[in-house]
Amino acid sequence: MPKDVKEINRPLKWDYNTKKVGIYCRVSSSSSGQLHSLADQASGLTRYVYRQPMMVAADIFLDVASGSDVVNRPDFQRMLQSAQNGKINYVITKSVSRFGRSTEDVLVATRVLKECGVEVYFEEQNIYTLDTNGELLITIMSSLAQEESRSISENVTWGKRK
């Protein structure tokens, strides 16, 4: 975790209402542009958390991996473990597609987090998982992300054949 987050964003007195936030960021490759995107995600979400009076950045989880499979994303798995261990009680991520591109994986992960009492906030879509419409919206958005991933894969395969 960046040094400035630990020093600046620590509440003077711990309050049980304070959200211990896990910031999750993901890109699909280690190209220069993608790594800049990863840094931008982490920086933007850290600033967002810092501006919230009842939030503290507890950890930042960064993956450089495909969003179509949660198993091969070590920091995603570490985030789930942190939630189960009570180290975080809130997750913020840029968008549903950054969280995952498989509808099933996204729903399973958000349900696992929900069972731990952890809410996920998708900033771009303004979706909260503990909201009554949260799961429906996540299903729709992750289905779109999954379809986009499938379409890109088909286009790349077609391009290689040609």
Side-chain angles (χ1 to χ4, degrees):
M1 181 180 308
K3 183 180 176 189
D4 60 335
V5 172
K6 287 182 182 177
E7 292 178 1
I8 295 171
N9 200 16
R10 182 175 295 161
L12 296 174
K13 179 181 171 204
W14 189 257
D15 183 327
Y16 68 93
N17 291 320
T18 300
K19 293 178 180 172
K20 298 178 283 185
V21 181
I23 297 169
Y24 182 74
C25 307
R26 182 191 66 79
V27 293
S28 56
S29 76
S30 59
S31 71
S32 175
Q34 290 280 291
L35 294 178
H36 283 290
S37 174
L38 188 65
D40 289 345
Q41 286 177 53
S43 175
L45 293 174
T46 301
R47 281 193 309 272
Y48 176 87
V49 170
Y50 177 71
R51 289 190 305 263
Q52 308 308 311
M54 296 304 288
M55 288 185 178
V56 61
D59 206 342
I60 298 176
F61 306 94
L62 307 170
D63 278 317
V64 178
S66 169
S68 61
D69 180 12
V70 297
V71 175
N72 294 318
R73 291 192 270 156
D75 262 23
F76 192 88
Q77 296 300 320
R78 190 170 67 83
M79 177 187 66
L80 294 176
Q81 193 64 48
S82 290
Q84 291 168 339
N85 293 336
K87 294 179 181 177
I88 59 172
N89 59 15
Y90 195 82
V91 172
I92 183 171
T93 190
K94 179 184 172 200
S95 67
V96 173
S97 66
R98 296 297 91 207
F99 200 72
R101 289 192 175 265
S102 160
T103 304
E104 181 180 7
D105 283 349
V106 170
L107 288 174
V108 168
T110 55
R111 288 173 184 162
V112 165
L113 291 166
K114 192 176 191 177
E115 287 174 12
C116 299
V118 176
E119 181 169 35
V120 181
Y121 173 59
F122 301 95
E123 183 190 35
E124 198 170 272
Q125 293 89 9
N126 196 33
I127 299 173
Y128 297 85
T129 56
L130 298 184
D131 185 40
T132 54
N133 295 322
E135 191 162 304
L136 172 63
L137 292 171
I138 290 166
T139 302
I140 293 167
M141 298 309 293
S142 61
S143 295
L144 291 171
Q146 181 175 319
E147 180 57 27
E148 179 186 26
S149 180
R150 187 198 60 75
S151 177
I152 290 169
S153 177
E154 283 181 2
N155 289 341
V156 168
T157 302
W158 180 85
K160 287 180 181 178
R161 278 196 320 257
K162 296 296 177 189

